[in-house]
């Protein structure tokens, strides 16, 4: 290599090394400047962390950049804090307002609970904590708000639904007074008073029962109960009125269907379904009650009728309190519109659910699903219907057929009774 070429290459290498060194120096200067510009986070006042750790309510401390620097376990359990961030913008807005003017603020607000439709009612007290921090004390008042809502609903329901039987009894009492010299009229009016009195008693009982169920999140002292026995008891309660309407009650019950819960509540729920099936069925038809093992880990209770059926647009509302599909028929049969609402709350309180299949003119099937007591593993979720190849539209689910509910008892099937 000649001297000129060597000198040229050496110069280029020197320039490259110099450029790299210059870039490294500048980066080092910037890093040092950044370290100087970012002051350390100010420490919390002594003892604050210890106090927050033992709070039963949600305690949260945020710094000047809205970053959560300390919080109680309850704040995480209620979903108020995720990592180092306040989840709800309402609380963040309150903390910024206190940091801005130093004035302690209190507010009651409704926050979204998780990702669903649930709501969390809280009372928040926000105060400055030293020069650089803000303290949020958040108390969960959802239970108190729920009790108040139940109280308002109870009063509204009573004032709305009790007017009819109370007004009827009052008018009938006046009619008895006016017809005191007519024994036949007095007897007729007295029978009507008895009917209205029974309706009033039933209505008050169901309102109290529904309010009790709404106020309880879970069964306090669950016991091992035989769902088949509950179904038999419920059927026996309705057999007399079924005979009066010439409706045949049939049962198909598997052995060993046990759940944890309250036997009287489960019996009441099944009885309500059977009573509804009888009320909305014509003479000469059948009502079937089936208890069986459904998918793994689940006990199914199904009540099937051959009645009028329920239109699809009505099915979404039938579990609402006081909602009646056929108001005239409900009044004629003494229905209160609370039976299905009670069924839903009983299922919820036992960790289950209730669903309905129905078509106008083909009858209805109501099914309660309850977690089995002797399940060996996790409850299997409902399986989607298998689709053949090539794909075809899925057929609608069929109701429980009466072929599974024979009219006569088969000696070879002791679990099926008529």
């Amino acid at each position: 290599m000649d001297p000129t070429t060597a000198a040229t290459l050496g110069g280029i290498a020197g320039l490259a090394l110099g450029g790299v060194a210059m870039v490294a120096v500048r980066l080092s200067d910037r890093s040092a400047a950044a370290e100087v510009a970012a002051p350390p986070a100010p420490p919390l006042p002594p003892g604050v962390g210890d106090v927050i750790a033992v709070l039963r309510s949600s305690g949260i401390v945020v710094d000047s950049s809205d970053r959560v620097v300390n919080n109680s376990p309850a704040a995480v359990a209620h979903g108020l804090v995720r990592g180092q961030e306040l989840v709800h913008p309402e609380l963040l807005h309150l903390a910024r307002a206190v940091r801005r003017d130093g004035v302690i603020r209190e507010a009651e607000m409704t926050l979204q609970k998780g990702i669903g439709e649930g709501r969390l009612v809280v009372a928040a007290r926000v105060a400055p904590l030293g020069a650089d921090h803000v303290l949020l004390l958040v108390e969960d008042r959802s239970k108190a708000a729920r009790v108040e809502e139940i109280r308002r609903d109870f009063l509204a329901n009573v004032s709305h639904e009790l007017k009819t039987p109370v007004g009827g009894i009052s008018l009938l009492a006046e009619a008895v007074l006016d017809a005191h010299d007519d024994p036949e009229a007095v007897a007729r009016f007295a029978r009507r008073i008895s009917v209205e009195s029974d309706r009033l008693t039933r209505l008050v009982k169901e309102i109290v029962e529904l309010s009790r169920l709404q106020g309880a999140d879970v069964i306090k002292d669950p016991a091992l109960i035989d769902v088949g026995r509950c179904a038999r008891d419920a059927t026996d309660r309705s057999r007399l009125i079924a005979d009066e309407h010439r409706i045949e009650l049939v049962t198909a019950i598997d052995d060993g269907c046990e759940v944890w819960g309250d036997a009287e509540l489960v019996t009441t729920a099944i009885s309500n379904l059977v009573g509804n099936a009888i009320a909305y069925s014509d003479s000469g038809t059948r009502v079937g009650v089936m208890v069986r093992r459904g998918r793994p880990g689940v006990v199914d209770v199904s009540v099937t009728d051959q009645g009028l059926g329920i239109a699809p647009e009505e099915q979404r509302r039938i579990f609402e309190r006081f909602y009646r599909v056929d108001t005239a028929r409900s009044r004629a049969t003494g229905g209160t519109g609370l039976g299905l609402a009670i069924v839903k709350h009983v299922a919820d309180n036992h960790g289950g659910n209730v669903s309905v299949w129905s078509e106008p003119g083909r009858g209805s099937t109501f099914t309660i699903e309850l977690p089995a007591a002797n399940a060996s593993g996790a409850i299997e979720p409902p399986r989607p219907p298998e689709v053949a190849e090539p794909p075809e539209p899925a057929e609608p689910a069929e109701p429980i057929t009466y072929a599974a509910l024979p009219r006569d008892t088969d000696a070879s099937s002791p679990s099926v009774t008529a």
Side-chain angles (χ1 to χ4, degrees), residues 354-371:
V354 59
S355 59
V356 59
W357 177 96
S358 185
E359 281 188 10
R362 294 189 60 189
S364 306
T365 296
F366 287 85
T367 301
I368 302 174
E369 291 184 317
L370 301 174

Side-chain angles (χ1 to χ4, degrees), residues 32-369:
E35 292 179 358
V36 173
L44 287 175
V48 172
D50 296 335
V51 173
I52 290 180
V54 298
L55 285 177
R56 296 185 63 182
S57 59
S58 299
I60 307 168
V61 178
V62 296
D63 61 13
S64 57
S65 60
D66 296 331
R67 185 170 58 96
V68 176
V69 295
N70 205 329
N71 60 265
S72 65
V76 178
H78 287 101
L80 303 177
V81 173
R82 187 180 299 121
Q84 292 185 317
E85 296 182 358
L86 276 174
V87 173
H88 300 92
E90 297 92 338
L91 293 176
L92 185 59
H93 176 75
L94 206 59
R96 288 173 176 173
V98 171
R99 185 187 301 114
R100 184 172 57 249
D101 56 23
V103 177
I104 297 175
R105 284 176 168 80
E106 295 183 359
E108 184 166 315
M109 55 187 68
T110 302
L111 309 175
Q112 183 176 2
K113 187 176 182 180
I115 61 175
E117 298 180 356
R119 292 294 181 266
L120 191 68
V121 180
V122 300
R125 180 179 175 85
V126 185
L129 187 64
D132 301 294
H133 297 91
V134 173
L135 172 65
L136 297 90
L137 297 177
V138 185
E139 182 181 358
D140 182 11
R141 293 188 178 177
S142 300
K143 185 174 181 180
R146 185 180 183 185
V147 171
E148 178 62 22
E149 182 181 358
I150 292 172
R151 185 190 67 83
R152 290 197 305 266
D153 289 346
F154 179 82
L155 294 177
N157 292 339
V158 167
S159 62
H160 175 72
E161 290 295 326
L162 295 186
K163 290 187 295 184
T164 300
V166 170
I169 291 174
S170 177
L171 292 175
L172 289 169
E174 294 179 4
V176 168
L177 291 175
D178 293 338
H180 64 277
D181 55 349
D182 186 350
E184 292 184 3
V186 169
R188 184 170 67 254
F189 293 144
R191 286 192 295 270
R192 289 299 307 165
I193 290 176
S194 178
V195 170
E196 295 296 332
S197 176
D198 290 341
R199 175 184 295 181
L200 183 61
T201 301
R202 184 166 56 253
L203 178 59
V204 171
K205 179 181 177 181
E206 291 190 352
I207 289 177
V208 172
E209 181 70 17
L210 181 59
S211 298
R212 183 174 72 87
L213 290 172
Q214 285 182 305
D217 292 331
V218 293
I219 307 300
K220 290 183 179 180
D221 298 311
L224 189 64
I225 61 176
D226 184 349
V227 181
R229 178 177 297 178
C230 295
R232 292 188 183 96
D233 291 345
T235 305
D236 290 340
R237 294 180 184 181
S238 303
R239 197 170 295 281
L240 181 61
I241 188 171
D243 292 341
E244 291 178 356
H245 289 79
R246 295 191 301 109
I247 293 174
E248 184 179 8
L249 284 181
V250 209
T251 59
I253 298 174
D254 290 345
D255 294 328
C257 293
E258 297 179 326
V259 303
W260 289 99
D262 188 309
E264 182 59 31
L265 291 181
V266 173
T267 303
T268 298
I270 301 174
S271 180
N272 286 349
L273 292 180
V274 175
N276 270 9
I278 294 172
Y280 287 91
S281 297
D282 295 326
S283 297
T285 59
R286 309 173 81 187
V287 170
V289 180
M290 177 181 287
V291 179
R292 62 179 180 179
R293 297 177 181 274
R295 64 182 188 273
V298 176
V299 172
D300 289 347
V301 183
S302 299
V303 177
T304 303
D305 64 60
Q306 297 172 318
L308 304 174
I310 306 170
E313 61 272 14
E314 303 280 359
Q315 294 178 23
R316 294 189 294 269
R317 300 191 58 192
I318 55 176
F319 295 103
E320 296 178 9
R321 290 166 297 177
F322 297 110
Y323 184 79
R324 300 179 178 91
V325 175
D326 187 344
T327 305
R329 188 158 186 155
S330 296
R331 294 295 187 186
T333 57
T336 63
L338 291 175
L340 292 180
I342 290 176
V343 172
K344 184 178 186 303
H345 281 287
V346 170
D348 290 344
N349 285 358
H350 284 77
N353 61 73
V354 59
S355 59
V356 59
W357 177 96
S358 185
E359 281 188 10
R362 294 189 60 189
S364 306
T365 296
F366 287 85
T367 301
I368 302 174
E369 291 184 317

